[in-house]
Amino acid sequence: MTLIGSMAVAKIRITGTFLGCLAGMIIQLGLYSWVNNGILFLMAYAIAAGFFCHWIAQGTIKSSIAFSAMSALTVPLTTSLIPEQKDAFFSILYRFSSIFVAVIATSIVIWITHHFLVRVIKAPNEQF
């Protein structure tokens, strides 16, 4: 993968994760005290997932964003949310921040490696 391709994928991953985490927060804050009602929670989750599934079916960049958003939506709401005991708000914030930091750190390493390789393995006629 090229430097430009890896930066594009990093933007897609961060955008999708942000949208999925935002949808999860909207579900939890929208239901508020009714989050323990399984039918309402399932309907809200299905509506949010439906938008992302529609994007997946369209293909191209939207499918990549939607795949990232679906994982960011699904994991905190199905593993951290315990009705009337524990909400998923901080789990959603943790998921976004950890993915954001990991993608940025990986992008920086790719950028450093790219520039190092360009300097070391350059064509004899190239000048920088």
Side-chain angles (χ1 to χ4, degrees):
M1 178 174 279
T2 64
L3 176 66
I4 294 171
S6 64
M7 295 301 157
V9 170
K11 288 179 193 175
I12 288 169
R13 177 72 173 157
I14 290 172
T15 303
T17 303
F18 174 74
L19 291 175
C21 290
L22 182 66
M25 284 185 187
I26 289 172
I27 287 172
Q28 187 168 352
L29 294 174
L31 291 177
Y32 192 60
S33 63
W34 293 328
V35 77
N36 59 350
N37 187 333
I39 304 258
L40 288 177
F41 177 76
L42 186 61
M43 285 176 35
Y45 176 78
I47 290 169
F51 287 117
F52 297 133
C53 289
H54 176 68
W55 284 4
I56 287 175
Q58 289 181 342
T60 65
I61 302 290
K62 283 188 177 181
S63 66
S64 302
I65 292 172
F67 185 79
S68 179
M70 282 294 292
S71 66
L73 172 68
T74 302
V75 172
L77 291 182
T78 58
T79 59
S80 300
L81 183 65
I82 302 170
E84 295 185 15
Q85 291 180 6
K86 183 179 164 189
D87 63 356
F89 187 77
F90 291 109
S91 178
I92 292 169
L93 289 178
Y94 174 75
R95 181 159 182 89
F96 177 74
S97 64
S98 64
I99 289 175
F100 182 78
V101 168
V103 168
I104 294 297
T106 304
S107 297
I108 290 171
V109 169
I110 291 171
W111 182 79
I112 290 170
T113 305
H114 172 78
H115 283 288
F116 174 74
L117 290 176
V118 166
R119 300 267 187 241
V120 171
I121 309 171
K122 62 180 181 179
N125 298 345
E126 285 187 87
Q127 293 181 0
F128 292 100

